[in-house]
Amino acid sequence: MDIMFGSMLFGLTIHQTYRSFRLYYASDKGYLRTLVTVIFALEALHTLLWFLVGYLYLNYLLSDAVKEPGLLLGHW
């Protein structure tokens, strides 16, 4: 659930970055354009790492727990 909320916020970051470059690119100074680009790249890396963590958690940790023979037997 947190990954989904974070990806929605990343969508807002994409929109703000697009608007920044589309509307204010000519009037912004070079350091501000660089700052926007670096922040966007770091946010993209952050979102990618969270997707990777979620993928690894679901596929490796939970799938190993299901493979245990004791979990397949009921307690009653």
Side-chain angles (χ1 to χ4, degrees), residues 31-63:
Y31 72 90
L32 191 58
R33 288 183 284 211
T34 305
L35 181 66
V36 169
T37 305
V38 167
I39 289 174
F40 176 74
L42 289 174
E43 185 65 31
L45 178 67
H46 179 254
T47 304
L48 178 71
L49 288 176
W50 270 114
F51 274 111
L52 180 65
V53 165
Y55 174 78
L56 292 176
Y57 177 74
L58 288 175
N59 282 338
Y60 293 113
L61 293 178
L62 292 181
S63 66

Side-chain angles (χ1 to χ4, degrees), residues 5 7 14 20 32-33 46:
F5 182 69
S7 64
I14 291 172
S20 173
L32 191 58
R33 288 183 284 211
H46 179 254

Side-chain angles (χ1 to χ4, degrees), residues 6 18 27 51 63 68:
Y18 172 76
S27 63
F51 274 111
S63 66
E68 295 293 326

